[in-house]
């Protein structure tokens, strides 16, 4: 009996990890860390990228877009990488099931690394106009396609080297890579900023994190060239049982498509929103809503990732003992039940003056509600010019909680603070008058001394940063619960002949669409309701649905033998 089948569903003790298995995990993980590093650089530098690539000059020599629109374009380009990930899953998943796991994710890493390096040398819109934005979006889409093929290949490759009974533990190291890539990107950006200063970083230093990726690419490619094909794939090839049409077999036959659909709705959908809430929405909420400076926000997130990331391996190992479902669905349930109190605690600690204003100061927009738009504008091309929309946008930018009161038809929008006089939104001095009135009522000014601020990376032994790191670490632990066992669970649902294709698509639809669009969707919900916490309903509802669907319709898979396709094809 081989090392891969020594620990079977009969409960035999698993053998220790061999040198070859450690090499497989290390090689797969390092390459995947690099891919995630590349992918997250773009999101972490969205504001700088917006200023450099979405800032063409008009005929009058002035920028065509304001700062807010540039940032929206940059975030849209970031989202484009998520939107194309399922297509990458289809393209590279098919290749992985036809020609092999190893060679497919060699291709993906070359595409990702090449695209990232080109961003570092790409001329800005000041040099080549709108062409800079077009090329950047194409590069971003190539990154998304590559990542769509990378994760499924790495997870499948490691799982097919792991012995039964230890698959959750082995694949949990792949799960660390997404967080490690984010952590690495934040560190490189922060230390580059510290070394160069903010002005030089914004002028040219932002290119350095993209350019250094060429060294990481070389190391990753060299490591992957040393790897062998997975045992399960070689066994399938030797027996001649491979699929000739992985896409049609995986998704054109209901018995397989049904499993992929249940994997999406009963596992990945909830995992995705918990993951993105704990790592990305928390980053957005701290910076954009609570007005914490970028350095402090990134350092708080980095510390929480450092403290909480061991949970990936812990929960991967535990899933081998008690099952994948209890841990993944338990993480979704805990997140859904505790997000509101945790984010309110973040608010109270990060910006006490703003948190107090939210609960004590009443602000209303008095208007004819029929003139108000739903301001979901991911492309930045829509123009909201009605007074109601101007009032909403101004209050959202100031992180003000407000309500909308109906007025007589045709009444132009006005803002009332603490029952005081109405400030007309169509007044030329509205922005100035609103700022003064909010400050007078008790909303903190830009120089707010109560907001948390870290002087250096190790300035964490005070109440504010310590409590915030604690709360953010809890959010990261939820991430590790849902994400640590997910690769093993997905691999075990499908037979070898269509495994790469079948697991990749639900994973990337869930994480690329449900997760990747979470910040934009949640922010639109905040702007619509005037409640800075309302956006949390998006991940709460999705995670809750996953708990229900997963509990009743998704099978437990921890005892399946993926080296025996009759076992791994059980439904």
């Amino acid at each position: 009996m081989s090392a891969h089948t020594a620990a079977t569903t009969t409960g035999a003790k698993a053998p220790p990890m061999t040198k070859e298995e450690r090499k497989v995990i290390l090689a797969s993980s390092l390459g995947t860390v690099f891919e995630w590093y590349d992918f997250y650089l773009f999101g972490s530098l969205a504001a700088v990228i917006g200023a450099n690539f979405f800032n063409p000059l008009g005929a009058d020599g002035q920028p065509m877009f304001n700062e807010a629109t540039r940032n929206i374009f940059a975030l849209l380009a970031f989202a484009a990488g998520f939107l194309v990930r399922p297509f990458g899953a289809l393209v590279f998943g098919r290749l992985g099931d036809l020609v092999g796991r190893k060679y497919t994710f060699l291709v993906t890493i070359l595409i990702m690394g090449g695209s990232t390096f080109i961003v570092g040398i790409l001329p800005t819109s000041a040099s080549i106009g709108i062409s800079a934005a077009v090329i950047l979006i194409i590069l971003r889409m190539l990154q998304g396609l590559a990542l769509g093929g990378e994760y499924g290949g790495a997870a499948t490759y490691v799982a097919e080297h792991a012995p039964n009974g230890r698959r959750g533990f082995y694949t949990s190291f792949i799960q660390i890579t997404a967080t490690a890539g984010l952590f690495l990107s934040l560190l490189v950006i922060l230390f580059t900023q510290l070394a160069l200063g903010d002005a030089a970083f914004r002028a040219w230093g932002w290119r350095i994190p993209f350019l250094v990726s060429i060294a990481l690419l070389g190391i990753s490619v060299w490591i992957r060239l040393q790897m062998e094909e997975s045992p399960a794939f070689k066994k399938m090839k030797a027996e001649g049982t491979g699929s000739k049409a992985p896409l049609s077999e995986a998704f054109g036959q209901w018995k397989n498509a049904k499993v992929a659909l249940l994997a999406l709705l009963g596992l990945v959908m909830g995992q995705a929103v918990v993951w993105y809430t704990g790592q990305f929405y928390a980053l957005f909420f701290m910076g954009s809503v609570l007005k914490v400076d970028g350095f402090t926000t990134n350092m708080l997130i980095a510390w929480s990732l450092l403290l909480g990331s061991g949970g990936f391996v812990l929960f991967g190992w535990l899933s081998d003992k008690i099952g994948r479902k209890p841990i993944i669905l338990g993480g979704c349930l805990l997140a859904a039940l505790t997000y509101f109190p945790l984010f309110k605690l973040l608010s109270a600690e990060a910006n006490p003056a703003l948190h107090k204003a939210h609960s004590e100061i009443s602000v209303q927009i008095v208007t004819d509600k029929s003139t108000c738009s739903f301001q979901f504008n991911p492309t930045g091309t829509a123009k909201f010019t009605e007074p109601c929309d101007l009032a909403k946008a101004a209050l959202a930018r100031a992180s003000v909680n407000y309500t909308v009161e109906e007025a007589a038809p045709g009444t132009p929008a006005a803002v009332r603070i603490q029952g005081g006089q109405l400030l007309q939104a169509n007044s030329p001095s509205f922005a100035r008058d609103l700022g003064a009135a909010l400050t007078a009522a008790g909303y903190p000014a830009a120089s707010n001394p109560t907001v948390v601020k870290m002087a250096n990376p190790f300035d964490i032994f005070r109440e504010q940063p310590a409590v915030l790191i604690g709360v953010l670490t809890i959010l990261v632990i939820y991430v590790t619960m849902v994400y640590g066992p997910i690769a093993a669970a997905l691999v075990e649902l499908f037979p070898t002949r269509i495994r790469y294709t079948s697991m990749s698509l639900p994973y990337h639809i869930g994480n690329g669409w449900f997760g990747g669009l979470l910040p934009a969707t949640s922010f639109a919900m905040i702007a619509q309701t005037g409640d800075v916490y309302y956006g949390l309903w998006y991940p709460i509802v999705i995670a809750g649905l996953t708990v229900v669907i997963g509990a009743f319709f998704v099978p437990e898979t921890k005892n399946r033998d993926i080296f025996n396709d009759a076992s791994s094809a059980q439904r």
Side-chain angles (χ1 to χ4, degrees):
M1 184 177 291
S2 72
H4 300 288
T5 57
T8 64
T9 56
T10 61
K13 184 178 179 181
M17 189 183 294
T18 66
K19 180 180 179 181
E20 180 61 26
E21 288 166 350
R22 287 195 295 270
K23 178 182 174 183
V24 164
I25 292 172
L26 178 64
S28 301
S29 299
L30 282 178
T32 310
V33 166
F34 164 64
E35 294 232 20
W36 283 113
Y37 166 82
D38 282 359
F39 197 74
Y40 289 141
L41 277 181
F42 201 106
S44 301
L45 294 172
V48 177
I49 286 172
N52 281 280
F53 293 99
F54 298 99
N55 198 26
L57 301 180
D60 58 358
Q62 298 299 312
M64 294 174 62
F65 307 119
N66 60 27
E67 182 180 358
T69 302
R70 292 198 302 268
N71 290 345
I72 290 171
F73 274 126
L75 289 171
L76 175 65
F78 182 57
F82 289 98
L83 294 174
V84 300
R85 278 168 57 180
F87 301 103
L90 291 174
V91 171
F92 293 110
R94 177 179 179 275
L95 285 176
D97 283 327
L98 287 174
V99 304
R101 287 53 163 132
K102 170 187 172 179
Y103 294 106
T104 300
F105 64 52
L106 260 175
V107 174
T108 63
I109 203 169
L110 286 168
I111 294 173
M112 176 67 84
S115 300
T116 302
F117 180 76
I118 293 172
V119 172
I121 61 174
L122 183 64
T124 65
S125 59
S127 300
I128 60 174
I130 199 67
S131 298
V134 174
I135 296 170
L136 185 74
I137 291 173
I138 292 172
L139 292 172
R140 183 62 185 170
M141 294 177 73
L142 286 173
Q143 287 183 326
L145 287 170
L147 192 62
E150 166 66 21
Y151 175 83
T156 301
Y157 187 79
V158 171
E160 291 179 348
H161 277 86
N164 292 319
R166 303 194 76 191
R167 201 169 298 114
F169 174 66
Y170 278 44
T171 57
S172 66
F173 290 94
I174 291 295
Q175 305 309 95
I176 295 175
T177 59
T179 296
L182 172 61
F183 183 77
L184 182 61
S185 70
L186 291 177
L187 285 184
V188 172
I189 291 168
L190 285 170
F191 285 109
T192 305
Q193 284 177 316
L194 287 173
L196 299 179
D198 189 62
F201 182 82
R202 289 183 173 277
W204 59 270
W206 61 269
R207 295 183 182 274
I208 293 175
F210 290 95
L211 295 175
V212 299
S213 68
I214 197 69
L216 299 175
L217 172 64
I219 295 170
S220 300
V221 170
W222 180 80
I223 290 173
R224 289 194 171 183
L225 285 171
Q226 317 305 311
M227 297 161 64
E228 298 289 338
E229 187 54 84
S230 82
F233 186 83
K234 288 195 289 187
K235 176 175 179 288
M236 178 191 74
K237 280 294 188 182
E239 295 172 350
T241 56
S243 174
K244 292 182 172 59
L247 288 178
S248 59
E249 185 174 344
F251 307 116
Q253 298 178 17
W254 176 241
K255 66 176 183 177
N256 294 322
K258 176 182 68 174
V259 179
L261 183 62
L262 289 176
L264 170 63
L265 301 179
L267 292 174
V268 182
M269 183 173 71
Q271 167 261 304
V273 296
V274 173
W275 179 25
Y276 279 87
T277 300
Q279 294 188 178
F280 299 103
Y281 188 68
L283 191 70
F284 163 82
F285 190 82
M286 293 281 289
S288 298
V289 177
L290 300 183
K291 309 302 182 185
V292 180
D293 69 270
F295 174 81
T296 300
T297 296
N298 286 336
M299 286 311 310
L300 291 171
I301 294 290
W303 274 108
S304 69
L305 294 176
L306 184 64
L307 294 173
S309 292
F312 289 111
V313 176
L314 171 64
F315 291 115
W317 168 82
L318 189 60
S319 75
D320 287 330
K321 309 299 179 184
I322 66 173
R324 322 301 185 202
K325 280 176 56 176
I327 297 173
I328 296 172
L329 301 185
C332 288
L333 182 61
L334 282 172
L337 293 176
T338 61
Y339 271 163
F340 275 117
L342 288 174
F343 274 82
K344 287 181 178 180
L345 182 55
L346 279 180
S347 176
E349 285 292 334
N351 196 333
L354 182 63
H355 180 74
K356 182 179 179 182
H358 284 158
S359 59
E360 296 183 358
I361 300 172
S362 64
V363 179
Q364 297 87 32
I365 298 176
V366 182
T367 187
D368 174 3
K369 290 185 179 181
S370 66
T371 66
C372 301
S373 304
F374 180 66
Q375 297 187 44
F376 184 66
N377 184 26
T379 65
T381 56
K383 302 296 183 183
F384 300 109
T385 58
E386 290 291 334
C388 176
D389 299 327
L390 296 175
K392 278 187 172 184
L395 292 172
R397 283 195 299 268
S399 296
V400 173
N401 271 357
Y402 61 89
T403 57
V404 181
E405 291 187 3
E406 183 68 80
T411 302
V415 175
R416 182 171 56 214
I417 302 171
Q418 291 290 76
Q421 70 179 68
L422 292 172
L423 304 174
Q424 298 298 324
N426 56 3
S427 167
S429 61
F430 172 67
R432 182 178 66 251
D433 295 342
L434 178 64
L438 287 171
T439 303
Y443 265 90
S447 58
N448 172 19
T450 71
V451 68
V452 64
K453 186 174 182 63
M454 292 176 63
N456 59 70
F458 298 98
D459 182 21
I460 60 174
F461 301 104
R462 296 179 290 115
E463 179 187 349
Q464 268 188 305
V467 171
L468 290 169
I469 290 170
V471 175
L472 292 169
T473 300
I474 292 173
L475 296 177
V476 171
I477 289 172
Y478 293 164
V479 172
T480 65
M481 289 183 69
V482 300
Y483 201 52
I486 196 73
L490 292 174
V491 164
E492 292 161 349
L493 282 170
F494 304 102
T496 305
R497 57 192 285 118
I498 56 170
R499 181 170 293 135
Y500 198 150
T501 303
S502 298
M503 72 161 287
S504 293
L505 186 62
Y507 175 83
H508 286 293
I509 289 178
N511 285 278
W513 293 359
F514 284 98
L517 295 178
L518 184 149
T521 304
S522 295
F523 182 72
M525 294 168 68
I526 291 173
Q528 178 68 10
T529 61
D531 181 352
V532 298
Y533 302 108
Y534 196 81
L536 293 170
W537 280 113
Y538 176 83
I540 287 172
V541 170
I542 296 296
L545 287 172
T546 290
V547 171
V548 175
I549 296 169
F552 287 101
F553 299 106
V554 176
E556 178 56 64
T557 60
K558 79 177 181 71
N559 290 326
R560 288 188 178 175
D561 179 4
I562 68 168
F563 304 99
N564 175 0
D565 273 350
S567 170
S568 60
Q570 292 171 4
R571 301 289 182 260

